[in-house]
Amino acid sequence: MPPDPPPRPRIVEEPGILGLSRLTRGRFGSRLFNLFFLLVFTVIVIQMISAILDHPW
Protein backbone atom coordinates (compact mmCIF):
# COMPACT_ATOMS: atom_id res chain seq x y z
CA MET A 1 0.00 0.00 0.00
CA PRO A 2 1.33 3.45 -0.85
CA PRO A 3 1.79 5.84 2.07
CA ASP A 4 -0.91 8.40 2.77
CA PRO A 5 -0.32 11.90 1.35
CA PRO A 6 0.69 14.51 3.90
CA PRO A 7 -2.19 16.42 5.46
CA ARG A 8 -3.10 19.80 4.02
CA PRO A 9 -1.97 22.85 5.96
CA ARG A 10 -4.62 24.63 7.97
CA ILE A 11 -6.30 27.59 6.31
CA VAL A 12 -5.72 30.75 8.29
CA GLU A 13 -8.43 33.35 7.85
CA GLU A 14 -7.33 36.81 6.77
CA PRO A 15 -7.90 39.47 9.37
CA GLY A 16 -10.59 41.86 8.19
CA ILE A 17 -9.64 45.52 8.10
CA LEU A 18 -12.52 47.30 9.84
CA GLY A 19 -14.79 44.48 8.71
CA LEU A 20 -14.74 45.74 5.12
CA SER A 21 -12.75 42.92 3.55
CA ARG A 22 -15.86 40.99 2.49
CA LEU A 23 -17.43 44.14 1.01
CA THR A 24 -14.32 45.09 -0.98
CA ARG A 25 -13.92 41.65 -2.54
CA GLY A 26 -17.09 41.89 -4.60
CA ARG A 27 -17.73 43.79 -7.79
CA PHE A 28 -19.62 46.54 -5.94
CA GLY A 29 -16.80 47.00 -3.44
CA SER A 30 -14.23 47.15 -6.21
CA ARG A 31 -16.16 49.84 -8.06
CA LEU A 32 -16.73 51.78 -4.83
CA PHE A 33 -12.99 51.61 -4.10
CA ASN A 34 -12.11 52.90 -7.59
CA LEU A 35 -14.74 55.64 -7.38
CA PHE A 36 -13.36 56.83 -4.05
CA PHE A 37 -9.82 57.19 -5.38
CA LEU A 38 -11.08 58.83 -8.56
CA LEU A 39 -12.93 61.36 -6.39
CA VAL A 40 -9.81 62.03 -4.29
CA PHE A 41 -7.68 62.46 -7.43
CA THR A 42 -10.27 64.86 -8.92
CA VAL A 43 -10.32 66.98 -5.76
CA ILE A 44 -6.51 67.19 -5.80
CA VAL A 45 -6.49 68.27 -9.47
CA ILE A 46 -9.19 70.90 -8.87
CA GLN A 47 -7.28 72.30 -5.89
CA MET A 48 -4.06 72.39 -7.90
CA ILE A 49 -5.70 74.25 -10.80
CA SER A 50 -7.37 76.65 -8.37
CA ALA A 51 -4.05 77.38 -6.65
CA ILE A 52 -2.30 77.98 -9.98
CA LEU A 53 -5.00 80.35 -11.22
CA ASP A 54 -5.23 82.15 -7.87
CA HIS A 55 -1.48 82.76 -7.61
CA PRO A 56 -0.58 86.39 -8.45
CA TRP A 57 2.09 86.29 -11.13
Side-chain angles (χ1 to χ4, degrees):
M1 262 178 109
D4 291 336
R8 293 183 180 179
R10 291 189 337 184
I11 298 174
V12 180
E13 291 187 23
E14 298 177 22
I17 301 172
L18 301 175
L20 297 175
S21 63
R22 225 176 247 190
L23 175 68
T24 57
R25 285 184 187 159
R27 181 176 293 177
F28 175 73
S30 175
R31 288 184 181 174
L32 191 64
F33 186 78
N34 289 337
L35 184 64
F36 172 75
F37 278 100
L38 181 65
L39 178 68
V40 169
F41 182 74
T42 304
V43 169
I44 291 171
V45 169
I46 289 172
Q47 286 182 343
M48 182 179 64
I49 292 172
S50 174
I52 289 172
L53 294 177
D54 193 35
H55 183 69
W57 294 99

